[in-house]
Structures are given as C-alpha cells and as structure tokens.
Amino acid sequence: MKASHHFASSSVGAARFRVICLCLAVAIFCDFASAQTSSVKLREGDSAAEAESYEMKDITVEEGSSSDTGRSYFGKFVEDEVSSSDIKAQQSDKISEVLDLVPGVDNIGGPRKESQLISIRGFQPSQVLLLLDGSRQNFQMSHNSIIPVRNHLLSRADVMKGGASSRFGSGALGGVVSFQTMNAEQFLKQTQNRTLQLRNNYSSNGESNQVSVTGGTRYGDKAKNGLLLDVTTTNTSNIDQVNGEELQFSGYQDQSFWGKNNFELGNGHRFTITAEEHSKDSRTPINPQGQVDPVNNAAAEQVETFKSVRGQYKLSRDSRFRPEVLIYNTQTEMVRDFVDRPRTDVRFVETNGVAFHSIYDLLSGENGVTWELQPGAELYRDASRGDQNGQDFGLFPDGVMNSQGYYLQSMLNYKDWFWVQSGIRYDQVDFASDVLDESRTANEASPEVQLGFQITEQVGLALSYEEGFSAPGVRQMFPDGVHFPMGRDPISGEELFNSFIPNLNLQPEDSRTYEAKLMVDWEAFQGSEGSLRTSVYRSEITNYIAQDFGFDTTQFVNRDLVDLQGLEVQLTQAVGAFNIVNGFSRVRGERTFERLPLGTAPAGQLSTRIEYRDSNFAFGLQRLEFFRQDRVSGNGTDPEETPGFELYNVYFARSFKWMDSLNQLRLRVNNVADSFYRRHGTPLVGQSRDIRLEYSVAL
C-alpha cells in the first residue's frame, strides 16, 4: 500500500554555448582535412561483409537494455519502443506524430506545435514524465512548444505505461516517454572515420523547410571515441486545414545547435557529454488549442529558448557491479509580447539534477537463476520565475521544488520461464514560493511488482501492480491573477474577469495500475515470424488535480477519484522483406466524482502499417482510424461528441551511392485522400494533405 503523505506547515549563456559549438566544429573539420582514409578495425563478431556494406542502415533497437539510464524497466518487456527507422519514416519534427505509432499514446492537442500534448492511456500531459538522454524535462509553463528533440538525431523512443514512480518518482503518474539521441558510433558506418551529412526536409502544407548539417568523426581509439555535431534550422508558414481555411499563427522559425562527445578512459569507463541550444520564434494565440479571438484569445509574439548540458559516466565492461552517474542542467525560457496591448510576459524554468544508477549481478546463472539488483538515487531542483512588464506575474509565480529519491529495483529470473520484477522508491519533495512564508513537504513511497510466466516457448503471461505519484507544480499551487476576461457588467459597465486563486493545501496525485499482459510469438515457416501483445489494465487516480471553475475564480483542486480502463492489442507479422503491424487501443475514463467521461482520455484507435524494406529501398502504407468518442466540453459539465475519422499515409525511401557519397531520398504523403477530421480534445480541424520530401547526402 502507498505510504500516507501530507504537506507540512546558474546558467549556460547563449554566447558561451555557441563558442563551444564552434570549437567542436573546428575540431571535426580539422580532422576531416588532416586524416587519411582508413577503415575502422572490425570489432569481434563483425564480418567483412557487414564492414563493406553501403546499405541504408538503421540503428538497432535492443530490448531490455538495463545499462541505459533512460530505460528503467529492464527484463523481457520494455513496454513499447519506436525504432530509428520508424522515426525517420514519419519525416516530421513533431514528437506527437512519432508517438502516434504506439497504442495507447496520443496527442490531445491541436495542429499547432504549441499544442503537442502527450497523453498515455488517458493520463494528462502533466502526469507523464519526459526524459531526454535520462534527464528530466520540465515544461510546466503552459503552451511551451519546445520539446527539445530533433527527430533525425534520435536512436529510439521508449514508452513506459502505467505508474513508473518506483523508478522515476514524481511526475511518472501515468508513464514515461524516454528519448535517446544517437552518438557518433551509431551515426557512422563501420568503414567510416568521419561523415558529413546534409539534409533537407520539405513539407508542402505550410511550406515548411528544415535544413540540417550533421558531422561525425572518430578519434583516439576509433572504435570507442567519437564526436557528433548538428545544426538545424526550420522555417514554416501557416498550415492549411481540411476545411480549406488557413490556421492562423501556426507558422514559426527555429534553430538548434547540438553536440555529443563520447569517449572511453581505461577499461570500459565511458563518458558522454552533450550540449544543445534550441530557439523558436513565432506569433501564437494565447491558447493555441483554440481559434484566434482578438478579445479572449489575442495573439502574441513568442520567443522560446531551451539550453541543456548533460554529462554521463557508465562502466560498460563486463562486471558484477556496473555504476552510472548522470549530471544535467536544463533551462527553458518563454517571452511573450502581446500585439494588441503593452504587455510582456516572461516565464523561466531551470532544472538541475544528479542521478546515480547501478546494476549488481547477485546471481549470474547458477542453477539457471539470475538475480539483478538496481539501487539508485536522484536529486533534482526545479526553479521557476515569471514577471509581467517587470512586475510579479501571478499566473507564473516564483518558486522552487527540491526533490530527492532513493530506489531499489530487482529482477529475479529462473530459466527464462518465471521471473519476478519488483521495486520501491521513496521520495521527499519540498516546495517554497514567494507566496508562502514557509515551505511545504510531501513524502511518498511507491512500489511495483510484476510476475511473469513463460507458459510455453511461444506464450508468456505477465501480471503487474504499479503505483505512481505526481507532486503539484508551483504554478498549480500558487497561481493568482486574471485567468480570462468575462465581458462587462451590464449595469456598471465595469470589465469583469475570472481570476486564479492559490490552493496551498493541494496534495500530490496518486495512481494504482493493475495490468495483465499476454505475449505470443510464432514462426509459421522459414522467414515468417509474428507476435501478439495484448494488455488489459485499470488505473485509479486519487487526489486528481483539476481546475475548479467558479463564477469569477479558478482554482486547482483535488478530486476524489478518476477511473481509467483500457485494452491494447498489437499484432505483427514479418514475411521476408514485408512487415505488417496492426495496433488497437481503447481507453475509457470516468470522473467518478461527477459521473462524467474524462475529457482527456484519447479516442479509440486502430492502426495498420504494411511495409516493404530491403537494404536500399523501403515502401509503406499506413492507415489510422480514430473512433467516435464523448468528451467533456469547455464548461466542464456537458458531454460533447468528437466524430471519428480515418487517415491514409504512404511513404517511400530509396538509398543509392553516387560519386563516393551515400544519398537517401524519402517521400511521404499524409492524409492522401484529404479527409476531413478533428482530433479528440481540440476544437480545431486537422491538417489537409501534406506532401513531404526529404533528401540527405553523406560525404
């Protein structure tokens, strides 16, 4: 049972960052100019054919890699993975489109980039934890559009569903999305010491044009040390909707500088240093999920900046005890200049964290038993501040959240036919704000346990119980100021407003998830493999945080209970170079305190993807069907209906060698039939047909 909880009564400059990037770039190109052409020594197990191949190579995704900080759940089943090949096939800079491939994961926002809100199994975006190379990402600043991920730099995206607080603590109430960026070793082929890749991705809808230059080189011990740099810029206009109208203020310009250096000292002591900066300029409505309204939803010039530095140490050699350490700093700033009034809002969030993770092999196969322990600790600090025209900004109060967590994970396996995965984490979260004279403290213990049975060689069953919790954010506990205008008093003519009021007694949200999984694998004949994954689950959320609308006030409050129930099915079949993937997900949520459907629960979804892929060619057809669903309208009481829709997307990729360069051409058409649709959770209709063309050349 969950322990009771209660509340008790430096910066990385832009100029410095660019100097670092410039120094790294000079190092790469000096190496390009001076190094002689040579082949990297083959590692043990590499064949000569693999070393000489010049095929269209995607990054290998390995299941259950327990040595990665970003992947918590080691063992046979890591929920869902989106591979590098699937990410590339989307040809998108929106994370939501990548995650559409995962059953039970949905974007509940609108077409604007500011509305990319990730929901897992009906949990709100604030209840889903985002990780980038293992570091926490805090975007609790309302309509911030920078999720600092360049899709072409990803090696994979992992999705962990259900309460994950036994490993990740606060924020993992409904699950975790972990993005892993590639390193130079993954970017370069076996025969390459250095590569410069030029890439251009064009999208017809919005006339979006993204250009990137990525350079990678090996140095020192070339099988272990590498440097990878990327510069990317995007320019896009307003997108077209399927009703023929242009979606105002949906265009933007952005640029990013990114670098990763990985090297090894001694015997298996691996270090990775990553630095990046993203900036984005746009004009956006105050609420980008709705239509532009000059009174209630006026536009503002919006400038966003994200900066991050991350350092990781990992012992990669075979050892009974393998430690990892991660240190990071991330900063996100958003500046809004209103176009119709003299108002400037500034919001800033900084996260500093250090995490220690380790793996200890208690038993290593004696009598068929393996037992692995993963102890760890995490400390992080979220600091936020805001001002409006140089004064205190009530909607974004200054505050600090200090968190410390200690956990132990265990995996016991007997001859691969029975396993027990368990864990528990204890967290303490302290809050302080300029609204309070004293701090507040929350304490939480979050357990999880999973029992697995390999009934036959082809059939497996897993039963799990997981708990999650999410401490309220500073802007949920301490907001004040105007929420939205309400017009004028008919008698006095005075302008009326609905205003936020603080709630210092706001408690953390808790979740309990019960799940049963059935896994079936088969091989019908040579070259034909298939699998079936089925999950049935139920999640109960207590102290659910929701906005309580009064006549002239709005306050974040705890609700008694929200109940989520769902089913997920994924069926895959590979026959030679053909691969067929079918996915189905359905989740229903109820706000039991009001007996109303939960508006944030995604619509039921059925997806089918048929793909042909060989070393130099790929072709795929994707069908997405979203079912009709009831949701709760904006006034919080009346149910309304989101109509169902279906979309067809098609894509093509061709890789070829020309003049000692590797060229890759990708063509994708989204919404082939230009079908009318509206995503669940947004009043905006979807995008019209979109033709995407990407060309890259590796020198």
Side-chain angles (χ1 to χ4, degrees), residues 117-183:
L117 307 175
I118 299 173
S119 169
I120 296 180
R121 292 179 170 178
F123 283 88
Q124 298 183 66
S126 62
Q127 299 165 337
V128 175
L129 180 62
L130 299 182
L131 300 176
L132 179 58
D133 290 333
S135 63
R136 288 175 175 265
Q137 305 303 308
N138 184 340
F139 303 106
Q140 296 186 9
M141 59 170 54
S142 179
H143 309 311
N144 178 55
S145 66
I146 291 184
I147 297 180
V149 176
R150 291 298 192 186
N151 290 355
H152 65 282
L153 296 175
L154 288 178
S155 63
R156 68 174 184 266
D158 294 334
V159 178
M160 304 161 217
K161 302 171 184 175
S165 293
S166 65
R167 167 63 173 85
F168 290 107
S170 178
L173 188 78
V176 177
V177 179
S178 174
F179 302 105
Q180 295 290 315
T181 59
M182 68 176 69
N183 56 32

Side-chain angles (χ1 to χ4, degrees), residues 339-568:
V339 299
D340 62 340
R341 68 197 78 167
R343 172 179 165 182
T344 299
D345 295 349
V346 178
R347 311 178 190 208
F348 178 84
V349 173
E350 181 175 21
T351 302
N352 291 284
V354 57
F356 170 77
H357 180 73
S358 60
I359 303 168
Y360 180 71
D361 295 326
L362 199 63
L363 296 175
S364 303
E366 294 85 352
N367 299 317
V369 179
T370 60
W371 189 4
E372 190 175 83
L373 298 179
Q374 290 195 18
E378 181 184 20
L379 304 173
Y380 65 95
R381 172 186 173 93
D382 280 335
S384 62
R385 65 175 184 268
D387 67 70
Q388 184 177 106
N389 294 336
Q391 306 295 321
D392 289 340
F393 187 16
L395 294 182
F396 202 80
D398 295 352
V400 173
M401 183 174 72
N402 293 308
S403 301
Q404 53 182 311
Y406 309 91
Y407 62 87
L408 177 64
Q409 297 274 309
S410 170
M411 179 66 180
L412 180 65
N413 186 304
Y414 179 66
K415 295 185 177 180
D416 285 334
W417 69 265
F418 173 73
W419 63 94
V420 180
Q421 178 175 298
S422 59
I424 189 168
R425 171 165 167 155
Y426 172 79
D427 285 272
Q428 178 176 306
V429 185
D430 298 305
F431 302 87
S433 172
D434 54 5
V435 177
L436 296 176
D437 295 328
E438 57 182 341
S439 63
R440 296 288 188 266
T441 299
N443 302 288
E444 197 84 15
S446 305
E448 65 108 3
V449 62
Q450 180 180 121
L451 303 178
F453 309 89
Q454 196 68 33
I455 301 173
T456 69
E457 290 186 1
Q458 292 78 32
V459 181
L461 176 67
L463 305 173
S464 64
Y465 170 79
E466 301 161 328
E467 293 190 0
F469 93 100
S470 184
V474 171
R475 60 180 300 268
Q476 292 174 316
M477 293 183 66
F478 312 119
D480 58 14
V482 174
H483 186 193
F484 56 84
M486 300 170 53
R488 295 187 178 276
D489 187 289
I491 299 177
S492 66
E494 180 182 357
E495 191 170 5
L496 302 176
F497 298 94
N498 181 288
S499 299
F500 275 108
I501 56 176
N503 183 359
L504 306 187
N505 295 315
L506 199 62
Q507 300 295 316
E509 300 171 288
D510 297 323
S511 70
R512 298 180 298 275
T513 298
Y514 311 86
E515 185 170 2
K517 305 176 189 176
L518 176 67
M519 291 78 57
V520 183
D521 297 279
W522 62 83
E523 183 175 351
F525 50 87
Q526 186 67 29
S528 173
E529 297 179 345
S531 66
L532 172 68
R533 300 288 185 266
T534 302
S535 294
V536 180
Y537 63 88
R538 178 175 183 175
S539 294
E540 298 173 340
I541 311 172
T542 55
N543 290 326
Y544 189 86
I545 295 178
Q547 289 187 11
D548 183 36
F549 292 91
F551 172 72
D552 57 356
T553 61
T554 301
Q555 185 181 47
F556 287 95
V557 299
N558 293 113
R559 300 297 192 184
D560 290 337
L561 182 65
V562 166
D563 186 57
L564 295 165
Q565 300 183 41
L567 168 68
E568 294 171 2

Side-chain angles (χ1 to χ4, degrees), residues 212-242:
S212 66
V213 180
T214 310
T217 183
R218 305 178 195 266
Y219 65 91
D221 186 341
K222 297 184 183 299
K224 302 175 181 178
N225 302 338
L227 181 64
L228 189 61
L229 295 175
D230 179 85
V231 178
T232 299
T233 180
T234 309
N235 195 319
T236 180
S237 303
N238 291 338
I239 61 177
D240 297 321
Q241 302 175 96
V242 292

